[in-house]
Amino acid sequence: MKTNSIKTIMTKDVISVAPEQSLLDVKHIYEKEKFHHHIPVVENGKLVGIISLIDFMYNIKGAGINDDNEIYKTLRVKDIMSQKPFCLPTTATIEDAAKLLAKGHYHAIPILENKSIVGIVSTADVIKFFLNKTP
């Protein structure tokens, strides 16, 4: 297991947002099918934060699905993001990610190479990996 690179299970086409974007943009990302529940926040090519679905839901305060709700236009990503998210390098293993995710503090981990985000790994990704290894 220690030789299994995190790169083999990470989502590589990471959808991210910038700190100045509106929550309407975040809402539209979450409305897409099969989207993981964490959105990295990137500024000048560098990871500066992360938004979880829980962060989003807590901060919209029942705004609902109407795009015209004022909260989607007035709040910015920077207003609700968690700053300085925990991340792992591309040299990490699946075991490294599994140990961190098992602690329950994180549900997704951005994967960085030279301080730039190149992937993201969620708890579900790790579970799927181990389920596929089970005979």
Side-chain angles (χ1 to χ4, degrees):
M1 181 166 57
K2 291 181 187 268
T3 60
N4 291 312
S5 171
I6 197 70
K7 293 190 274 187
T8 62
I9 67 166
M10 71 182 189
T11 298
K12 293 176 182 90
D13 296 323
V14 180
I15 296 172
S16 62
V17 292
E20 293 299 326
Q21 283 184 256
S22 72
L23 286 197
L24 185 59
D25 294 334
V26 174
K27 176 183 176 288
H28 289 161
I29 291 169
Y30 280 131
E31 289 172 338
K32 293 180 180 183
E33 289 183 37
K34 297 182 181 180
F35 185 78
H36 57 78
H37 294 136
H38 294 79
I39 305 171
V41 182
V42 177
E43 186 172 45
N44 299 321
K46 306 296 180 212
L47 180 69
V48 296
I50 196 163
I51 297 176
S52 70
L53 180 59
I54 293 171
D55 295 333
F56 176 75
M57 297 302 290
Y58 179 78
N59 282 282
I60 63 168
K61 298 178 173 86
I65 61 170
N66 187 341
D67 284 358
D68 293 331
N69 191 296
E70 193 62 26
I71 202 156
Y72 294 129
K73 297 173 187 171
T74 57
L75 278 181
R76 300 280 162 217
V77 167
K78 66 181 180 181
D79 298 326
I80 71 164
M81 71 181 194
S82 296
Q83 295 182 11
K84 300 178 184 174
F86 184 82
C87 54
L88 285 173
T90 54
T91 56
T93 64
I94 295 170
E95 181 182 47
D96 296 333
K99 286 178 181 178
L100 288 167
L101 293 168
K103 292 180 181 180
H105 300 292
Y106 312 106
H107 300 289
I109 302 171
I111 308 301
L112 302 184
E113 189 169 82
N114 299 323
K115 298 184 182 181
S116 295
I117 187 162
V118 294
I120 192 165
V121 172
S122 69
T123 305
D125 295 327
V126 173
I127 291 170
K128 287 176 192 172
F129 171 78
F130 286 111
L131 287 175
N132 287 333
K133 287 191 70 99
T134 304

